[in-house]
Amino acid sequence: MPEPDFSAMLRWPNVPACYGWLSLDRRGRWRLRGDPVTHCGLNDFLNRQYTHDEYGNYFVQNGPQRVFVELDYTPWILHLVAADALVTHVGEPVGEIRGAALDEEGSLLIEIPKGIALLSDRDLPALLCHLYLASGEIADEPALLAFIAQGVGADALALDWQGTRLPVVPLQRSAVPGRYGFVASPSPP
């Protein structure tokens, strides 16, 4: 995917940033003032112009204006498009997984080269067969609920993905932005 186009900022450098209009929900859907964006061209534009600043604020570059994004959870949302293929909400294939965590709500977080991503809840049931207990058995629902409730250590659960087994760590949702360096709700300076 190409980098966002910042060229308009050279012609109009002092256009104020926009806050509170654009959000990204837990399923990777763009929302304008709470309403889903359904226009294919606008979705493509938002996906293409999505990036972040040095402070961890995510935004869409709209000509000379930065439109900051309210994140319902993480800056990246993953979708399972085949039994062994993940893509980000902007359509980029995920070639590498660096880590995994399970929060107190049962949401699976996956660290990718771009940062931390939430697996869409619609895809979680299909990915459960990739979660293993320390005994080597596939984790069933009672085992996952026990892991979530007890916050057991990283050796209790693992994600087996494309031949690599990564520990799944317990993580509180409130700790995710600080741990992974992003701002869920950007505000004006």
Side-chain angles (χ1 to χ4, degrees), residues 3-186:
E3 288 296 313
D5 181 10
F6 295 104
S7 62
M9 292 182 73
L10 298 174
R11 292 186 301 267
W12 301 288
N14 297 318
V15 175
C18 181
Y19 296 88
W21 281 75
L22 185 62
S23 63
L24 181 67
D25 73 16
R26 292 176 58 108
R27 291 187 172 160
R29 295 176 299 209
W30 294 109
R31 293 183 173 273
L32 278 173
R33 299 191 73 170
D35 293 326
V37 175
T38 58
H39 189 277
C40 292
L42 180 54
N43 268 306
D44 289 345
F45 174 80
L46 295 172
N47 290 342
R48 190 174 53 251
Q49 295 296 106
Y50 184 58
T51 190
H52 63 89
D53 64 18
E54 64 273 16
Y55 306 108
N57 296 296
Y58 280 77
F59 62 91
V60 169
Q61 189 67 41
N62 181 24
Q65 185 175 51
R66 288 186 174 181
V67 180
F68 285 90
V69 178
E70 295 274 335
L71 303 170
D72 280 359
Y73 199 161
T74 61
W76 300 100
I77 308 298
L78 298 181
H79 297 283
L80 191 64
V81 293
D84 64 346
L86 292 166
V87 297
T88 66
H89 68 278
V90 299
E92 294 177 345
V94 174
E96 176 187 358
I97 291 178
R98 296 180 175 173
L102 200 60
D103 74 8
E104 72 275 16
E105 299 171 344
S107 298
L108 184 61
L109 299 149
I110 298 174
E111 190 175 354
I112 60 175
K114 287 191 170 280
I116 192 65
L118 173 69
L119 180 70
S120 174
D121 61 344
R122 292 181 176 173
D123 297 319
L124 186 56
L127 198 79
L128 288 179
C129 64
H130 294 276
L131 293 174
Y132 285 84
L133 301 172
S135 64
E137 299 174 54
I138 292 178
D140 58 8
E141 189 173 329
L144 290 173
L145 291 173
F147 179 86
I148 292 166
Q150 297 169 9
V152 181
D155 58 343
L157 190 63
L159 174 63
D160 191 352
W161 186 255
Q162 298 181 343
T164 302
R165 193 165 281 201
L166 298 166
V168 177
V169 298
L171 186 60
Q172 293 294 310
R173 179 180 175 165
S174 60
V176 173
R179 179 173 178 162
Y180 293 101
F182 69 90
V183 178
S185 187

